Amino acid sequence: NANTFISDNGPTIAGSGADPLISGTLYFWEHWGGESHNLSEYQGGYATYNFSGGVAAPSLGTNDPDVGTGGTPTKIPGLYIPVSQGFFIVGETSGTINFNNGQREYKKEQLTGADSSVFVRSSGTTANTSDTSNAIDERMKFRIGFNSINTIHRQLLLTIDGATTTGYDWSYDAITYDNQMDDLYWMIDGQQYTIQGSNTVEPGIVYPLGINTENDGLNTITIDDLENVPDSLDIFIHDLENETYHDLRESDFQFFLAAGNYSNRFELT
């Protein structure tokens, strides 16, 4: 159980302010190229999971959020980590990482649902349909997609949860550790995040976005998916430089950018 593992490596005493052992996010590597055993030449990215939910790894050569590099279905990590599935964590403080039998649960593999169990690196997995014990996640989730000039597809997740804030929240916000040649990320306190948890979607609230591109050209921001989001909620991309708003519910936002980094030009609202 990923949530139990994260909790067991969090602050040692609830409410004490003690530093957690880990960042609260799990990273699952997916490889798409490089043809080398040298780590610096690996090409791929991390599927990511924390208390806000999971997102698939970035992909190359496709704009379809449900299809990964090589034409295989994208794999979003869920609540349960399958046997033999490797993952990375980021240490916050020195100490011993806690693995224990209390974290173990018997769960058949299934590819959908809030409590899914997905082997990220396997290409031949099939969904189990006999297990009907899916947990229901009723939180609003905004899956925002980025399709770049160099055919990178990145998905970001914004989850609305009353336990979070608009600032950084341990185990709900996932820092980006696989910067791509072109990329989109949430900006929180000057740092780049793939997953953000927040407690509000009130009119006027803004979620800053950062973008980097390696080449000049057209890029696109889309709605990949919405979960539990009412149809009446308008979703815009605000371009602060041009002072324009684009309604993502009406169409994708396509825009030209010169190569470079843009950390304070765009925001979701």
Side-chain angles (χ1 to χ4, degrees):
N1 185 309
N3 285 5
T4 305
F5 171 78
I6 292 170
S7 296
D8 286 351
N9 290 284
T12 53
I13 302 175
S16 68
D19 291 332
L21 282 167
I22 65 175
S23 69
T25 296
L26 311 182
Y27 297 91
F28 303 83
W29 176 258
E30 281 210 272
H31 195 76
W32 69 57
E35 305 300 331
S36 171
H37 292 293
N38 295 321
L39 180 62
S40 62
E41 297 177 16
Y42 281 8
Q43 295 174 2
Y46 292 109
T48 309
Y49 179 85
N50 60 21
F51 288 169
S52 291
V55 290
S59 58
L60 176 68
T62 175
N63 291 336
D64 190 327
D66 298 320
V67 178
T69 302
T72 60
T74 56
K75 304 177 189 74
I76 299 176
L79 177 58
Y80 296 99
I81 307 169
V83 172
S84 297
Q85 170 67 66
F87 60 93
F88 291 85
I89 57 175
V90 177
E92 293 279 298
T93 56
S94 298
T96 300
I97 299 299
N98 297 308
F99 289 93
N100 58 66
N101 284 334
Q103 298 162 6
R104 297 175 60 172
E105 294 190 39
Y106 176 74
K107 188 70 179 177
K108 293 182 180 179
E109 182 180 63
Q110 55 187 41
L111 302 184
T112 60
D115 61 349
S116 61
S117 173
V118 179
F119 199 95
V120 172
R121 292 193 63 191
S122 173
S123 61
T125 54
T126 56
N128 171 71
T129 57
S130 63
D131 193 331
T132 59
S133 60
N134 285 1
I136 298 176
D137 189 343
E138 297 181 342
R139 297 175 297 178
M140 281 192 278
K141 293 176 182 284
F142 302 78
R143 296 187 179 275
I144 305 300
F146 176 63
N147 300 319
S148 84
I149 179 63
N150 290 303
T151 68
I152 295 287
H153 179 80
R154 163 76 79 178
Q155 185 179 101
L156 304 183
L157 172 63
L158 171 65
T159 297
I160 306 304
D161 190 305
T164 67
T165 69
T166 55
Y168 170 76
D169 298 288
W170 179 81
S171 74
Y172 287 92
D173 299 329
I175 201 164
T176 304
Y177 278 106
D178 60 347
N179 302 93
Q180 304 298 320
M181 65 181 86
D182 312 317
D183 221 339
L184 179 74
Y185 30 82
W186 304 114
M187 296 297 301
I188 306 174
D189 299 331
Q191 294 203 66
Q192 303 169 5
Y193 291 80
T194 303
I195 299 176
Q196 180 171 192
S198 180
N199 59 356
T200 180
V201 285
E202 292 297 318
I205 189 71
V206 298
Y207 292 100
L209 293 163
I211 296 176
N212 65 265
T213 59
E214 191 170 277
N215 299 100
D216 302 351
L218 290 174
N219 300 274
T220 306
I221 296 176
T222 73
I223 295 176
D224 276 354
D225 193 27
L226 299 175
E227 301 171 30
N228 307 311
V229 177
D231 292 339
S232 59
L233 188 64
D234 296 325
I235 304 167
F236 296 91
I237 293 293
H238 182 199
D239 182 337
L240 284 84
E241 181 175 301
N242 295 327
E243 197 50 47
T244 57
Y245 289 85
H246 183 91
D247 187 346
L248 286 181
R249 283 196 183 269
E250 289 191 355
S251 63
D252 296 343
F253 175 48
Q254 190 174 68
F255 54 101
F256 178 89
L257 280 182
N261 296 305
Y262 302 83
S263 60
N264 55 11
R265 176 171 170 177
F266 301 100
E267 57 192 15
L268 184 81
T269 187

